[in-house]
């Protein structure tokens, strides 16, 4: 079923919408949650919470990209759960490492989190992503959006771990320059 029809089911308040979103995006949402939490049971709970949050937010929202919408909800719920547990052992230790990596691009990760919905930052980040090659964009998104370990990203793109690490380092530098060029000082 296409995304537009699933959104229509949400708007009609049909419970079929929950079944269809699970069929189409269930595995994706589980992967997003698991990459943050590193725990199957917690991931399942996050995905269920994401479906319920989508149920409560459509309407009034009518997302253009259902995958991005449900992915963002799932990721935010997983990050909230991780903060609640406050354990560096969760998420295979990847979340603290990711935040350290991104700290090179911005002066304060906490400030970025407070302003994460800022249209200015979103536009600048989207502009940056559009400038990247398909491989660079995929590597960047898999590492920093999907929170996949570097070895998994390297394997997916058929490149070495060291090449992936170097690529991410250079991409973070380019992102920092792009933010500065756009007048975003974080």
């Amino acid at each position: 079923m296409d995304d537009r029809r699933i959104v229509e089911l949400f708007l009609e308040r049909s419970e079929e919408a929950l079944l269809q979103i699970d069929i189409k995006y269930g595995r994706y949402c589980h992967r997003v949650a698991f990459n943050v939490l590193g725990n199957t049971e917690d991931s399942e709970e996050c995905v269920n919470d994401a479906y319920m949050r989508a149920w409560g937010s459509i309407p009034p929202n009518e997302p253009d990209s259902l995958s991005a919408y449900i992915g963002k909800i799932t990721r935010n719920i997983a990050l909230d759960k991780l903060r609640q547990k406050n354990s560096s052992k969760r998420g295979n230790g990847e979340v603290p490492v990711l935040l350290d990596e991104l700290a090179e691009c911005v002066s304060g990760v906490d400030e970025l989190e407070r302003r994460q919905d800022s249209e200015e930052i979103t536009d600048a980040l989207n502009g940056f992503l559009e400038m990247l090659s398909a491989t660079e964009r995929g590597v960047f998104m898999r590492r920093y959006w999907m929170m996949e370990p570097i070895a998994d990203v390297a394997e997916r793109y058929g490149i070495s771990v060291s090449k992936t690490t170097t690529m991410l380092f250079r991409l973070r530098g380019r992102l920092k320059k792009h933010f500065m060029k756009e007048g975003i000082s974080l």
Side-chain angles (χ1 to χ4, degrees):
M1 181 175 293
D2 73 346
D3 287 1
R4 186 72 228 144
R5 180 62 190 134
I6 295 171
V7 170
E8 287 173 5
L9 289 171
F10 273 102
L11 295 172
E12 295 167 3
R13 307 311 291 160
S14 170
E15 291 183 17
E16 177 74 12
L18 297 173
L19 174 65
Q20 292 301 323
I21 202 167
D22 186 52
I23 290 169
K24 189 160 186 182
Y25 295 113
R27 288 181 53 200
Y28 165 68
C29 290
H30 283 278
R31 189 172 349 121
V32 168
F34 188 83
N35 285 344
V36 173
L37 298 167
N39 179 293
T40 304
E41 291 170 1
D42 289 344
S43 299
E44 181 71 31
E45 185 179 328
C46 285
V47 172
N48 288 333
D49 289 349
Y51 293 162
M52 293 315 295
R53 193 169 292 173
W55 180 261
S57 65
I58 305 173
N61 297 318
E62 291 185 44
D64 292 327
S65 172
L66 189 57
S67 63
Y69 189 77
I70 194 67
K72 181 178 180 180
I73 291 172
T74 303
R75 183 174 180 267
N76 288 342
I77 290 171
L79 287 169
D80 288 345
K81 187 170 211 55
L82 182 68
R83 283 186 202 103
Q84 282 178 344
K85 292 196 177 228
N86 196 20
S87 170
S88 63
K89 293 181 183 178
R90 299 301 236 180
N92 297 322
E94 290 296 313
V95 174
V97 171
L98 289 171
L99 294 178
D100 285 345
E101 288 175 9
L102 288 174
E104 297 172 7
C105 301
V106 295
S107 62
V109 174
D110 290 337
E111 183 177 343
L112 178 61
E113 289 176 351
R114 284 193 302 271
R115 295 175 52 191
Q116 71 184 11
D117 290 328
S118 165
E119 200 171 303
E120 179 181 322
I121 293 170
T122 302
D123 290 345
L125 185 56
N126 285 336
F128 171 74
L129 292 171
E130 288 173 5
M131 295 184 327
L132 302 179
S133 70
T135 300
E136 289 173 328
R137 184 173 37 257
V139 167
F140 188 88
M141 293 299 291
R142 290 220 166 257
R143 178 66 177 153
Y144 298 118
W145 173 255
M146 300 290 294
M147 298 185 178
E148 288 183 5
I150 290 175
D152 292 356
V153 175
E155 183 180 330
R156 175 177 290 276
Y157 288 93
I159 55 180
S160 69
V161 170
S162 63
K163 182 173 180 175
T164 304
T165 302
T166 300
M167 182 187 298
L168 288 166
F169 175 78
R170 290 178 180 157
L171 288 171
R172 289 190 307 271
R174 288 170 55 190
L175 176 60
K176 183 176 182 175
K177 286 179 185 175
H178 183 75
F179 276 168
M180 289 173 28
K181 179 183 161 196
E182 295 292 318
I184 298 172
S185 135
L186 298 173

